[in-house]
Amino acid sequence: MVMTENLLGIIAGILTSVSMIPQLIKVIREKNVEDISLLMLLVLISGLSLWVWYGFMKDELPIILSNSFAVLVNISLLVCYIIYNKK
């Protein structure tokens, strides 16, 4: 039963972690962040960072790894937003 829970956590973590990669690739290719919400990115990065902290508090490696990866992807998107924002 524990293995099933861990597997579920790992699969969920992978799916949520890679969910923003297509958006990041699109932004890098098109160099266009017009449709990206800065507030959404900041809230998402904050929430993901809190999940990482929670993962450390609970000593849950799947939570730590998946959310750390998601933080990195979204920080990359934030950097692109700063670089490519024309406003």
Side-chain angles (χ1 to χ4, degrees), residues 20-36:
M20 292 297 282
I21 290 177
Q23 184 68 55
L24 179 60
I25 291 169
K26 182 176 189 246
V27 165
I28 291 170
R29 282 187 182 154
E30 297 177 5
K31 296 179 176 35
N32 181 0
V33 292
E34 188 175 309
D35 295 329
I36 304 290

Side-chain angles (χ1 to χ4, degrees), residues 1-11 59-60 62:
M1 186 67 158
V2 173
M3 184 59 167
T4 304
E5 290 174 2
N6 284 339
L7 184 59
L8 180 63
I10 290 167
I11 292 170
D59 196 29
E60 292 286 340

